[in-house]
Amino acid sequence: AKDHGQAYGPQVHDAINGCYVDDVPMTAPTEEELVKTVKGVVELCARGGFEVVKIASNSKEVLKSVPEELRAKNFKDPEGEH
């Protein structure tokens, strides 16, 4: 984050700094902001050589924004679509 983070907002930095072991909990005031935060975390981690996988969310919009190969397997979303 220190090397490549200047292109990302404070929510992305907060998410990465708030990670615990290999879990990165994320929140945002709106789904739109959360979609941007998740995308930013995935991109920033990739720039550092880390792949973010097993992404789960209770937001349909967030799940739709995440490539299927990065989503948690066998995760059942609240709408029953995944």
Side-chain angles (χ1 to χ4, degrees):
K2 289 180 184 177
D3 292 340
H4 304 288
Q6 57 274 26
Y8 301 92
Q11 283 186 294
V12 171
H13 289 273
D14 290 347
I16 290 173
N17 289 330
C19 72
Y20 177 75
V21 186
D22 63 350
D23 292 327
V24 184
M26 293 177 248
T27 62
T30 67
E31 282 184 316
E32 182 180 315
E33 289 180 61
L34 188 55
V35 166
K36 289 179 185 177
T37 300
V38 170
K39 181 180 179 192
V41 167
V42 169
E43 289 176 1
L44 183 55
C45 287
R47 290 185 75 182
F50 299 96
E51 183 179 31
V52 177
V53 295
K54 298 182 183 177
I55 298 172
S57 178
N58 61 356
S59 164
K60 183 178 177 181
E61 294 304 312
V62 170
L63 288 176
K64 286 195 311 189
S65 74
V66 173
E68 197 163 331
E69 63 272 11
L70 300 182
R71 296 180 198 160
K73 304 293 183 244
N74 300 317
F75 174 73
K76 188 166 186 167
D77 74 59
E79 312 247 347
E81 295 181 13
H82 300 284

Coordinates of all heavy atoms in Angstrom, one line a residue:
A1 N 0.8 -1.2 0.0 CA 0.0 0.0 0.0 C 0.9 1.3 0.0 O 0.5 2.2 -0.6 CB -0.9 0.0 1.2
K2 N 2.0 1.2 0.7 CA 2.9 2.3 0.7 C 3.5 2.6 -0.6 O 3.7 3.8 -1.0 CB 4.0 2.1 1.8 CG 3.5 2.2 3.2 CD 4.6 1.9 4.2 CE 4.0 1.9 5.6 NZ 5.1 1.6 6.6
D3 N 3.8 1.6 -1.4 CA 4.5 1.7 -2.7 C 3.5 2.2 -3.8 O 3.9 2.9 -4.6 CB 5.2 0.4 -3.1 CG 6.4 0.1 -2.2 OD1 6.9 1.0 -1.5 OD2 6.8 -1.1 -2.2
H4 N 2.3 1.6 -3.8 CA 1.4 1.9 -4.9 C 0.1 2.5 -4.5 O -0.8 2.7 -5.3 CB 1.1 0.5 -5.6 CG 2.3 -0.2 -6.0 ND1 3.0 0.2 -7.1 CD2 2.9 -1.3 -5.5 CE1 4.0 -0.7 -7.3 NE2 4.0 -1.6 -6.3
G5 N -0.1 2.9 -3.3 CA -1.4 3.3 -2.7 C -1.8 4.7 -3.1 O -3.0 5.0 -2.9
Q6 N -0.9 5.5 -3.6 CA -1.3 6.9 -3.8 C -2.5 7.1 -4.8 O -3.2 8.1 -4.8 CB -0.1 7.8 -4.2 CG 0.6 7.3 -5.5 CD 1.7 6.3 -5.2 OE1 1.6 5.6 -4.2 NE2 2.7 6.2 -6.0
A7 N -2.7 6.1 -5.6 CA -3.8 6.1 -6.6 C -5.1 5.7 -6.0 O -6.1 5.8 -6.7 CB -3.5 5.2 -7.8
Y8 N -5.2 5.3 -4.8 CA -6.4 4.8 -4.2 C -6.8 5.7 -3.0 O -5.9 6.3 -2.3 CB -6.2 3.3 -3.7 CG -5.8 2.4 -4.9 CD1 -4.5 2.2 -5.2 CD2 -6.8 1.9 -5.7 CE1 -4.2 1.4 -6.3 CE2 -6.5 1.1 -6.8 CZ -5.2 0.9 -7.1 OH -4.8 0.1 -8.1
G9 N -8.0 5.7 -2.7 CA -8.6 6.6 -1.6 C -8.3 6.0 -0.2 O -7.9 4.9 -0.1
P10 N -8.7 6.8 0.8 CA -8.5 6.4 2.1 C -9.3 5.1 2.6 O -8.8 4.4 3.4 CB -8.9 7.6 3.0 CG -9.8 8.4 2.0 CD -9.3 8.1 0.7
Q11 N -10.4 4.9 1.9 CA -11.2 3.7 2.3 C -10.4 2.4 1.9 O -10.5 1.4 2.7 CB -12.5 3.6 1.6 CG -13.5 4.6 2.3 CD -14.9 4.4 1.7 OE1 -15.1 4.7 0.5 NE2 -15.8 3.9 2.5
V12 N -9.7 2.4 0.8 CA -8.9 1.3 0.5 C -7.7 1.1 1.5 O -7.5 0.0 1.9 CB -8.3 1.4 -1.0 CG1 -7.3 0.3 -1.3 CG2 -9.4 1.4 -2.0
H13 N -7.1 2.1 1.8 CA -6.0 2.1 2.8 C -6.6 1.6 4.2 O -5.9 0.8 4.8 CB -5.3 3.4 3.0 CG -4.5 3.8 1.8 ND1 -3.2 3.4 1.7 CD2 -4.8 4.5 0.7 CE1 -2.7 3.8 0.6 NE2 -3.6 4.5 -0.1
D14 N -7.7 2.1 4.6 CA -8.3 1.7 5.9 C -8.6 0.2 5.8 O -8.4 -0.5 6.8 CB -9.6 2.5 6.1 CG -9.3 3.9 6.5 OD1 -8.1 4.3 6.7 OD2 -10.3 4.7 6.5
A15 N -9.1 -0.3 4.7 CA -9.5 -1.7 4.6 C -8.2 -2.6 4.8 O -8.2 -3.6 5.5 CB -10.2 -2.0 3.3
I16 N -7.2 -2.2 4.0 CA -5.9 -3.0 4.1 C -5.3 -2.9 5.5 O -4.8 -3.9 6.0 CB -5.0 -2.6 3.0 CG1 -5.5 -3.0 1.6 CG2 -3.6 -3.1 3.2 CD1 -4.8 -2.5 0.4
N17 N -5.3 -1.7 6.1 CA -4.7 -1.6 7.4 C -5.6 -2.3 8.5 O -5.0 -2.6 9.5 CB -4.6 -0.1 7.7 CG -3.5 0.6 6.9 OD1 -2.5 -0.1 6.6 ND2 -3.6 1.8 6.7
G18 N -6.8 -2.5 8.2 CA -7.7 -3.2 9.1 C -7.8 -4.7 9.0 O -8.5 -5.4 9.7
C19 N -6.9 -5.2 8.1 CA -7.0 -6.7 7.9 C -6.4 -7.4 9.1 O -5.6 -6.9 9.8 CB -6.2 -7.1 6.6 SG -4.5 -7.0 6.7
Y20 N -7.0 -8.6 9.3 CA -6.5 -9.5 10.4 C -6.2 -10.8 9.8 O -7.0 -11.5 9.2 CB -7.7 -9.6 11.4 CG -7.3 -10.6 12.5 CD1 -6.4 -10.2 13.5 CD2 -7.8 -11.9 12.5 CE1 -6.1 -11.0 14.5 CE2 -7.4 -12.7 13.6 CZ -6.6 -12.3 14.6 OH -6.2 -13.1 15.6
V21 N -4.9 -11.2 9.9 CA -4.3 -12.4 9.2 C -4.6 -12.3 7.7 O -4.0 -11.6 7.0 CB -4.9 -13.7 9.9 CG1 -4.1 -14.9 9.3 CG2 -4.7 -13.6 11.4
D22 N -5.6 -13.1 7.3 CA -5.9 -13.0 5.8 C -7.4 -12.6 5.6 O -7.9 -12.8 4.5 CB -5.7 -14.4 5.2 CG -6.5 -15.5 5.7 OD1 -7.2 -15.3 6.7 OD2 -6.5 -16.6 5.1
D23 N -8.0 -11.9 6.5 CA -9.3 -11.4 6.4 C -9.3 -9.9 6.2 O -8.6 -9.2 7.0 CB -10.2 -11.8 7.6 CG -10.5 -13.3 7.6 OD1 -10.6 -13.9 6.5 OD2 -10.6 -13.8 8.7
V24 N -10.0 -9.4 5.3 CA -10.0 -7.9 5.1 C -11.5 -7.4 5.1 O -12.2 -7.4 4.1 CB -9.4 -7.5 3.7 CG1 -9.3 -6.0 3.5 CG2 -8.0 -8.1 3.5
P25 N -12.0 -7.1 6.3 CA -13.3 -6.7 6.4 C -13.5 -5.2 5.8 O -12.6 -4.4 6.0 CB -13.6 -6.7 7.9 CG -12.3 -6.6 8.6 CD -11.3 -7.2 7.6
M26 N -14.5 -5.0 5.1 CA -14.7 -3.7 4.5 C -16.2 -3.2 4.7 O -17.1 -4.0 4.6 CB -14.5 -3.8 3.0 CG -13.0 -4.1 2.6 SD -12.8 -4.2 0.8 CE -12.4 -5.9 0.7
T27 N -16.3 -2.0 4.9 CA -17.6 -1.3 5.0 C -17.5 0.0 4.3 O -16.5 0.5 4.0 CB -18.0 -1.0 6.5 OG1 -17.1 -0.1 7.1 CG2 -18.1 -2.3 7.3
A28 N -18.7 0.5 3.9 CA -18.8 1.8 3.3 C -20.2 2.3 3.5 O -21.1 1.5 3.7 CB -18.5 1.7 1.8
P29 N -20.4 3.6 3.4 CA -21.7 4.2 3.6 C -22.8 3.8 2.5 O -23.9 3.8 2.8 CB -21.5 5.7 3.6 CG -20.1 5.9 3.6 CD -19.4 4.6 3.3
T30 N -22.3 3.5 1.3 CA -23.2 3.1 0.2 C -22.6 1.9 -0.5 O -21.4 1.6 -0.5 CB -23.3 4.2 -0.8 OG1 -22.1 4.4 -1.5 CG2 -23.8 5.5 -0.2
E31 N -23.5 1.2 -1.2 CA -23.0 0.0 -2.0 C -22.0 0.5 -3.1 O -21.0 -0.2 -3.4 CB -24.2 -0.7 -2.7 CG -24.9 -1.6 -1.7 CD -26.0 -2.4 -2.4 OE1 -26.8 -1.8 -3.2 OE2 -26.1 -3.6 -2.1
E32 N -22.3 1.6 -3.7 CA -21.4 2.1 -4.8 C -20.0 2.4 -4.2 O -19.0 2.0 -4.9 CB -22.0 3.4 -5.3 CG -21.2 4.0 -6.4 CD -21.8 5.3 -7.0 OE1 -23.0 5.4 -7.2 OE2 -21.0 6.3 -7.2
E33 N -19.9 2.9 -3.1 CA -18.6 3.2 -2.5 C -17.9 1.8 -2.1 O -16.7 1.7 -2.2 CB -18.7 4.1 -1.2 CG -19.0 5.5 -1.6 CD -19.1 6.4 -0.4 OE1 -18.1 6.5 0.3 OE2 -20.2 6.9 -0.2
L34 N -18.7 0.9 -1.6 CA -18.2 -0.4 -1.3 C -17.6 -1.2 -2.5 O -16.6 -1.8 -2.5 CB -19.2 -1.3 -0.5 CG -18.7 -2.6 0.0 CD1 -17.5 -2.4 1.0 CD2 -19.8 -3.3 0.8
V35 N -18.4 -1.1 -3.6 CA -17.9 -1.7 -4.9 C -16.5 -1.1 -5.2 O -15.6 -1.8 -5.6 CB -18.9 -1.4 -6.0 CG1 -18.3 -1.8 -7.4 CG2 -20.2 -2.3 -5.8
K36 N -16.4 0.3 -5.1 CA -15.1 0.9 -5.4 C -14.0 0.5 -4.5 O -12.9 0.3 -4.9 CB -15.3 2.4 -5.4 CG -16.1 3.0 -6.5 CD -16.2 4.5 -6.4 CE -17.1 5.1 -7.4 NZ -17.3 6.5 -7.3
T37 N -14.4 0.3 -3.2 CA -13.4 -0.1 -2.2 C -12.9 -1.5 -2.5 O -11.7 -1.8 -2.4 CB -14.0 0.0 -0.8 OG1 -14.3 1.4 -0.6 CG2 -13.0 -0.4 0.3
V38 N -13.8 -2.4 -2.7 CA -13.4 -3.8 -3.0 C -12.5 -3.8 -4.3 O -11.5 -4.5 -4.2 CB -14.7 -4.7 -3.2 CG1 -14.3 -6.1 -3.7 CG2 -15.5 -4.8 -1.9
K39 N -12.9 -3.1 -5.3 CA -12.1 -3.1 -6.5 C -10.7 -2.5 -6.2 O -9.7 -3.1 -6.7 CB -12.8 -2.3 -7.6 CG -12.1 -2.2 -8.9 CD -12.8 -1.4 -9.9 CE -12.0 -1.3 -11.2 NZ -12.4 -0.4 -12.1
G40 N -10.7 -1.5 -5.5 CA -9.4 -0.9 -5.1 C -8.5 -1.8 -4.3 O -7.3 -1.9 -4.6
V41 N -9.1 -2.5 -3.3 CA -8.3 -3.4 -2.5 C -7.8 -4.6 -3.4 O -6.6 -4.9 -3.3 CB -9.2 -4.0 -1.4 CG1 -8.5 -5.2 -0.7 CG2 -9.4 -2.9 -0.3
V42 N -8.6 -5.1 -4.3 CA -8.2 -6.2 -5.2 C -7.0 -5.7 -6.1 O -6.0 -6.4 -6.2 CB -9.4 -6.7 -6.0 CG1 -8.9 -7.7 -7.1 CG2 -10.4 -7.4 -5.1
E43 N -7.2 -4.5 -6.7 CA -6.2 -4.0 -7.6 C -4.9 -3.7 -6.8 O -3.8 -4.0 -7.3 CB -6.7 -2.7 -8.2 CG -7.7 -3.0 -9.3 CD -8.3 -1.7 -9.9 OE1 -7.9 -0.6 -9.5 OE2 -9.2 -1.8 -10.7
L44 N -5.0 -3.0 -5.7 CA -3.8 -2.6 -4.9 C -3.0 -3.8 -4.4 O -1.8 -3.9 -4.5 CB -4.2 -1.7 -3.8 CG -3.0 -1.1 -2.9 CD1 -2.0 -0.4 -3.8 CD2 -3.5 -0.2 -1.9
C45 N -3.7 -4.8 -3.9 CA -3.1 -6.0 -3.5 C -2.4 -6.8 -4.6 O -1.3 -7.3 -4.5 CB -4.1 -7.0 -2.8 SG -4.5 -6.4 -1.1
A46 N -3.0 -6.8 -5.8 CA -2.4 -7.4 -7.0 C -1.1 -6.7 -7.4 O -0.2 -7.4 -7.7 CB -3.4 -7.4 -8.1
R47 N -1.1 -5.4 -7.2 CA 0.1 -4.6 -7.6 C 1.3 -5.0 -6.6 O 2.4 -4.9 -7.0 CB -0.1 -3.2 -7.5 CG -1.0 -2.7 -8.7 CD -1.2 -1.2 -8.7 NE 0.0 -0.6 -9.2 CZ 0.2 0.7 -9.3 NH1 -0.8 1.5 -9.0 NH2 1.3 1.2 -9.8
G48 N 0.9 -5.5 -5.4 CA 1.9 -5.9 -4.5 C 2.2 -7.4 -4.5 O 3.0 -7.9 -3.7
G49 N 1.6 -8.1 -5.5 CA 1.8 -9.5 -5.6 C 0.9 -10.4 -4.8 O 1.2 -11.6 -4.6
F50 N -0.2 -9.8 -4.3 CA -1.1 -10.6 -3.4 C -2.4 -10.7 -4.2 O -3.0 -9.7 -4.6 CB -1.3 -9.9 -2.1 CG -0.1 -9.8 -1.3 CD1 0.6 -8.6 -1.3 CD2 0.4 -10.8 -0.5 CE1 1.8 -8.5 -0.6 CE2 1.5 -10.7 0.2 CZ 2.2 -9.5 0.2
E51 N -3.0 -11.9 -4.2 CA -4.3 -12.2 -4.8 C -5.4 -12.2 -3.8 O -5.3 -13.0 -2.8 CB -4.3 -13.5 -5.6 CG -5.6 -13.7 -6.4 CD -5.6 -15.0 -7.2 OE1 -4.9 -15.9 -6.8 OE2 -6.3 -15.0 -8.2
V52 N -6.3 -11.4 -3.9 CA -7.5 -11.4 -3.0 C -8.5 -12.4 -3.5 O -9.0 -12.2 -4.7 CB -8.1 -10.0 -2.8 CG1 -9.3 -10.0 -1.9 CG2 -7.0 -9.0 -2.3
V53 N -8.9 -13.4 -2.8 CA -9.8 -14.4 -3.2 C -10.8 -14.6 -2.1 O -10.7 -14.1 -1.0 CB -9.2 -15.7 -3.6 CG1 -8.3 -15.5 -4.9 CG2 -8.3 -16.3 -2.5
K54 N -11.8 -15.5 -2.3 CA -12.8 -15.8 -1.3 C -13.6 -14.6 -0.9 O -13.9 -14.5 0.3 CB -12.2 -16.6 -0.2 CG -11.5 -17.9 -0.6 CD -11.0 -18.6 0.7 CE -10.3 -19.9 0.3 NZ -9.7 -20.5 1.4
I55 N -13.9 -13.7 -1.8 CA -14.7 -12.5 -1.5 C -16.1 -12.9 -1.3 O -16.7 -13.6 -2.1 CB -14.5 -11.5 -2.6 CG1 -13.1 -11.1 -2.7 CG2 -15.4 -10.3 -2.3 CD1 -12.8 -10.2 -3.9
A56 N -16.7 -12.5 -0.2 CA -18.1 -12.7 0.2 C -18.7 -11.4 0.6 O -18.0 -10.5 1.1 CB -18.2 -13.7 1.3
S57 N -20.0 -11.2 0.3 CA -20.7 -10.0 0.7 C -22.2 -10.3 0.8 O -22.7 -11.2 0.2 CB -20.5 -8.9 -0.4 OG -21.2 -7.8 -0.1
N58 N -22.8 -9.5 1.6 CA -24.3 -9.6 1.7 C -24.9 -8.6 0.7 O -26.1 -8.4 0.7 CB -24.8 -9.4 3.1 CG -24.5 -8.0 3.6 OD1 -23.8 -7.2 3.0 ND2 -24.9 -7.8 4.8
S59 N -24.1 -8.0 -0.2 CA -24.6 -7.0 -1.2 C -24.6 -7.7 -2.5 O -23.5 -8.1 -3.0 CB -23.7 -5.8 -1.1 OG -24.0 -5.0 -2.3
K60 N -25.7 -7.7 -3.2 CA -25.8 -8.3 -4.5 C -25.0 -7.4 -5.5 O -24.3 -8.0 -6.4 CB -27.3 -8.3 -5.0 CG -27.5 -8.8 -6.3 CD -29.0 -8.8 -6.6 CE -29.3 -9.3 -8.0 NZ -30.7 -9.3 -8.3
E61 N -25.0 -6.1 -5.3 CA -24.2 -5.3 -6.2 C -22.7 -5.5 -6.1 O -21.9 -5.5 -7.1 CB -24.5 -3.8 -6.0 CG -25.9 -3.4 -6.3 CD -26.3 -3.8 -7.8 OE1 -25.5 -3.4 -8.7 OE2 -27.3 -4.4 -8.0
V62 N -22.2 -5.7 -4.9 CA -20.8 -6.0 -4.7 C -20.4 -7.3 -5.3 O -19.5 -7.4 -6.0 CB -20.4 -6.0 -3.2 CG1 -19.0 -6.5 -2.9 CG2 -20.6 -4.6 -2.6
L63 N -21.3 -8.3 -5.1 CA -21.0 -9.6 -5.7 C -20.9 -9.6 -7.2 O -20.1 -10.2 -7.8 CB -22.0 -10.7 -5.2 CG -21.9 -11.1 -3.8 CD1 -23.0 -12.1 -3.4 CD2 -20.5 -11.8 -3.5
K64 N -21.9 -8.8 -7.8 CA -21.9 -8.7 -9.2 C -20.6 -8.0 -9.8 O -20.2 -8.3 -10.9 CB -23.1 -7.9 -9.7 CG -24.4 -8.8 -9.6 CD -25.6 -8.2 -10.4 CE -25.8 -6.8 -10.2 NZ -27.1 -6.3 -10.8
S65 N -20.0 -7.2 -9.0 CA -18.8 -6.4 -9.4 C -17.5 -7.2 -9.3 O -16.5 -6.8 -9.8 CB -18.7 -5.1 -8.6 OG -18.2 -5.4 -7.3
V66 N -17.6 -8.4 -8.6 CA -16.4 -9.2 -8.4 C -16.4 -10.4 -9.4 O -17.4 -11.1 -9.5 CB -16.4 -9.8 -6.9 CG1 -15.3 -10.7 -6.7 CG2 -16.4 -8.6 -5.9
P67 N -15.3 -10.6 -10.1 CA -15.2 -11.7 -11.0 C -15.5 -13.0 -10.2 O -15.1 -13.2 -9.0 CB -13.8 -11.7 -11.5 CG -13.3 -10.3 -11.3 CD -14.1 -9.8 -10.1
E68 N -16.2 -13.9 -10.8 CA -16.6 -15.1 -10.2 C -15.5 -15.9 -9.6 O -15.6 -16.5 -8.5 CB -17.4 -16.0 -11.1 CG -18.2 -17.1 -10.4 CD -19.3 -17.7 -11.3 OE1 -19.8 -17.0 -12.2 OE2 -19.6 -18.8 -11.0
E69 N -14.3 -15.9 -10.3 CA -13.2 -16.7 -9.8 C -12.6 -16.1 -8.5 O -11.8 -16.8 -7.8 CB -12.1 -16.8 -10.8 CG -11.4 -15.5 -11.2 CD -12.2 -14.8 -12.4 OE1 -13.3 -15.2 -12.8 OE2 -11.6 -13.8 -12.9
L70 N -12.9 -14.9 -8.1 CA -12.5 -14.3 -6.9 C -13.5 -14.4 -5.7 O -13.1 -14.1 -4.6 CB -12.1 -12.8 -7.1 CG -11.1 -12.5 -8.1 CD1 -10.8 -11.0 -8.2 CD2 -9.8 -13.2 -7.8
R71 N -14.7 -14.9 -6.0 CA -15.7 -15.0 -5.0 C -15.5 -16.3 -4.2 O -14.9 -17.2 -4.6 CB -17.1 -15.1 -5.6 CG -17.5 -13.9 -6.4 CD -18.9 -14.1 -7.0 NE -19.1 -13.1 -8.0 CZ -20.0 -13.2 -9.0 NH1 -20.8 -14.3 -9.0 NH2 -20.2 -12.3 -9.9
A72 N -16.0 -16.2 -3.0 CA -16.0 -17.4 -2.1 C -16.8 -18.5 -2.7 O -17.9 -18.3 -3.2 CB -16.5 -17.1 -0.7
K73 N -16.2 -19.7 -2.7 CA -16.9 -20.9 -3.3 C -18.0 -21.3 -2.3 O -17.8 -21.3 -1.1 CB -16.0 -22.0 -3.6 CG -14.8 -21.6 -4.5 CD -15.3 -21.3 -5.9 CE -14.2 -21.0 -6.8 NZ -14.1 -19.7 -7.4
N74 N -19.1 -21.8 -2.8 CA -20.2 -22.3 -2.0 C -20.7 -21.3 -1.0 O -21.4 -21.6 0.0 CB -19.7 -23.6 -1.2 CG -19.3 -24.7 -2.1 OD1 -19.9 -25.0 -3.1 ND2 -18.2 -25.3 -1.7
F75 N -20.5 -20.0 -1.4 CA -21.1 -18.9 -0.6 C -22.5 -18.7 -1.1 O -22.7 -18.4 -2.3 CB -20.3 -17.7 -0.7 CG -20.9 -16.5 0.0 CD1 -20.9 -16.4 1.4 CD2 -21.4 -15.4 -0.7 CE1 -21.4 -15.3 2.0 CE2 -22.0 -14.4 -0.1 CZ -22.0 -14.3 1.3
K76 N -23.4 -18.7 -0.2 CA -24.8 -18.4 -0.7 C -25.2 -17.0 -0.3 O -25.2 -16.7 0.9 CB -25.8 -19.4 0.0 CG -27.2 -19.3 -0.6 CD -28.0 -20.5 -0.1 CE -29.3 -20.4 -0.9 NZ -30.1 -21.6 -0.8
D77 N -25.4 -16.2 -1.3 CA -25.7 -14.8 -1.0 C -27.2 -14.7 -0.6 O -28.0 -15.6 -0.7 CB -25.4 -13.9 -2.2 CG -26.4 -14.1 -3.4 OD1 -27.6 -13.8 -3.1 OD2 -26.0 -14.4 -4.5
P78 N -27.5 -13.6 0.1 CA -28.9 -13.4 0.6 C -30.0 -13.5 -0.4 O -31.1 -13.8 0.0 CB -28.8 -12.1 1.3 CG -27.5 -11.5 1.0 CD -26.7 -12.5 0.3
E79 N -29.7 -13.3 -1.7 CA -30.7 -13.3 -2.7 C -30.8 -14.7 -3.3 O -31.6 -15.0 -4.2 CB -30.3 -12.3 -3.8 CG -30.0 -11.0 -3.2 CD -31.0 -9.9 -3.6 OE1 -31.9 -10.2 -4.4 OE2 -31.0 -8.9 -2.9
G80 N -29.9 -15.6 -2.9 CA -29.9 -17.0 -3.4 C -29.4 -17.2 -4.8 O -29.8 -18.2 -5.4
E81 N -28.6 -16.3 -5.3 CA -28.2 -16.4 -6.7 C -26.8 -17.0 -6.9 O -26.4 -17.4 -8.0 CB -28.3 -15.1 -7.4 CG -29.7 -14.5 -7.5 CD -29.8 -13.2 -8.2 OE1 -28.8 -12.8 -8.8 OE2 -30.8 -12.6 -8.1
H82 N -26.0 -17.1 -5.8 CA -24.7 -17.6 -5.9 C -24.4 -18.7 -4.9 O -24.9 -18.8 -3.9 CB -23.6 -16.5 -5.7 CG -23.8 -15.4 -6.6 ND1 -23.3 -15.4 -7.9 CD2 -24.3 -14.1 -6.5 CE1 -23.6 -14.3 -8.5 NE2 -24.2 -13.5 -7.7

